[in-house]
Amino acid sequence: MVVKCFQKLSIAFLSVMEGISMRSTAEEQIRTFDQQSAHWWEPNGPMVLLHRLNKLRVPLVVEGLIKVGKLDRKQRYTTDALKGLSILDVGCGGGIYSEALAKLQATVVGIDPAQHLIEVAKAHAEKQSDIRDHCQYRAESMEQHWESAVGKYDVVVLSETLEHVRDKSTLLKQVAAVLKPGGSVFISTWNRTTFAWLMAIVLLENITKRLPRGSHDYDQFIEPEETQGILEGYNCRTIECRPFYLKFWEDEWVWVPFRKFTYALHAVKE
């Protein structure tokens, strides 16, 4: 009761002070990120937190694939660790995660409904001679993509994407459909807790401005148990769920032992 009252009072205070809404539609979130497209690849620009997140999410994929026997341990630190694997990046934005995976020689397809961001991703990849032949982008949603890609991918990644989707069950059903048997899905997203709300929306969006204001809706955050349950319904068994946290005073993401804020999940299609 106390927590709920605090949350309502905080929303009211921020709304009065800044005229903000703590909820946003999917279309509004797409527009918010589209407006950031010109600054997407600035290392210390508005998307700095996504750039810094690669420190965790890229090794997560490599280590996860080693654990399930898809990669040899000898490949852990090689420059072509993901060679021969096909990866779909759902909600790829301007390509920060996609390019990092392609740098390890994976064949990557990035999809996102934000047209301006896809144009940014394409333009940036075209300048990278080592990845431009195996890193492609399409301005489309998963709903538009999945039927033509059933059983196509070794890996699907959804990083900071699930919290922007209202119908999570349908999205994860489509993810399971495009995976090959034995394929892996890697998800990183915000937990649905008061701590996550305080961090993402109150602190990062409205106080420190480290995230675009209006880019998140607390009601769309999802608990790890719920994510795991949905995936299990589509024959994807969770292998690992690791919580992580933003040291916001340093703009650094770190693995932690508590699930109060964000988590990364690895599941395999059986």
Side-chain angles (χ1 to χ4, degrees):
M1 175 66 79
V2 173
V3 170
K4 289 183 178 179
C5 288
F6 172 74
Q7 191 180 67
K8 289 179 180 179
L9 286 171
S10 298
I11 292 174
F13 172 75
L14 289 169
S15 298
V16 169
M17 294 301 293
E18 300 197 41
I20 65 171
S21 170
M22 301 308 282
R23 295 179 178 175
S24 56
T25 65
E27 291 76 14
E28 288 170 340
Q29 291 178 16
I30 290 172
R31 285 197 296 270
T32 296
F33 287 116
D34 241 344
Q35 291 166 2
Q36 300 290 329
S37 60
H39 306 287
W40 207 263
W41 279 97
E42 295 174 3
N44 295 305
M47 295 298 112
V48 61
L49 296 184
L50 286 182
H51 286 273
R52 299 286 178 85
L53 189 53
N54 275 354
K55 179 182 177 182
L56 297 189
R57 59 187 179 179
V58 174
L60 178 74
V61 171
V62 175
E63 295 290 343
L65 294 176
I66 290 173
K67 287 178 182 177
V68 298
K70 293 296 183 180
L71 295 179
D72 190 277
R73 285 182 297 176
K74 296 177 181 178
Q75 297 172 267
R76 180 178 278 114
Y77 302 115
T78 62
T79 57
D80 61 349
L82 301 177
K83 187 175 182 178
L85 296 178
S86 56
I87 299 180
L88 176 66
D89 184 358
V90 181
C92 65
I96 294 170
Y97 195 11
S98 295
E99 280 203 15
L101 296 170
K103 292 282 186 183
L104 295 179
Q105 297 302 303
T107 298
V108 181
V109 174
I111 62 172
D112 199 293
Q115 178 68 47
H116 290 165
L117 288 179
I118 289 297
E119 292 172 1
V120 167
K122 287 180 176 179
H124 197 271
E126 185 60 30
K127 299 174 184 176
Q128 317 298 316
S129 60
D130 58 333
I131 68 167
R132 60 188 176 203
D133 293 334
H134 55 272
C135 188
Q136 303 174 0
Y137 296 100
R138 302 176 188 176
E140 58 188 25
S141 66
M142 189 60 178
E143 184 179 7
Q144 296 168 312
H145 182 79
W146 79 274
E147 286 188 306
S148 62
V150 172
K152 179 179 179 180
Y153 297 102
D154 297 295
V155 174
V156 177
V157 296
L158 299 94
S159 182
E160 312 312 302
T161 297
L162 197 58
E163 68 267 26
H164 301 294
V165 178
R166 190 164 296 278
D167 188 353
K168 296 172 177 35
S169 182
T170 295
L171 173 64
L172 294 178
K173 179 181 180 179
Q174 294 163 352
V175 166
V178 303
L179 278 173
K180 297 176 182 178
S184 288
V185 54
F186 295 88
I187 296 170
S188 60
T189 191
W190 288 92
N191 199 348
R192 192 169 63 245
T193 67
T194 300
F195 291 99
W197 169 78
L198 285 169
M199 172 72 80
I201 297 175
V202 177
L203 179 65
L204 296 179
E205 286 192 21
N206 294 288
I207 296 178
T208 65
K209 318 293 186 183
R210 303 307 288 149
L211 293 176
R213 195 170 72 181
S215 58
H216 292 88
D217 178 350
Y218 173 74
D219 289 342
Q220 297 306 312
F221 290 6
I222 182 169
E223 297 174 354
E225 293 79 11
E226 186 177 354
T227 304
Q228 292 177 47
I230 296 173
L231 287 168
E232 287 171 3
Y234 300 121
N235 298 317
C236 292
R237 178 173 55 90
T238 297
I239 300 298
E240 181 179 27
C241 187
R242 296 183 67 181
F244 60 101
Y245 171 74
L246 176 67
K247 294 167 67 175
F248 58 87
W249 58 95
E250 296 180 358
D251 286 344
E252 181 183 6
W253 299 95
V254 294
W255 298 115
V256 291
F258 48 85
R259 294 186 180 184
K260 299 296 186 182
F261 299 93
T262 42
Y263 61 94
L265 183 149
H266 173 202
V268 174
K269 181 177 179 179
E270 297 182 324

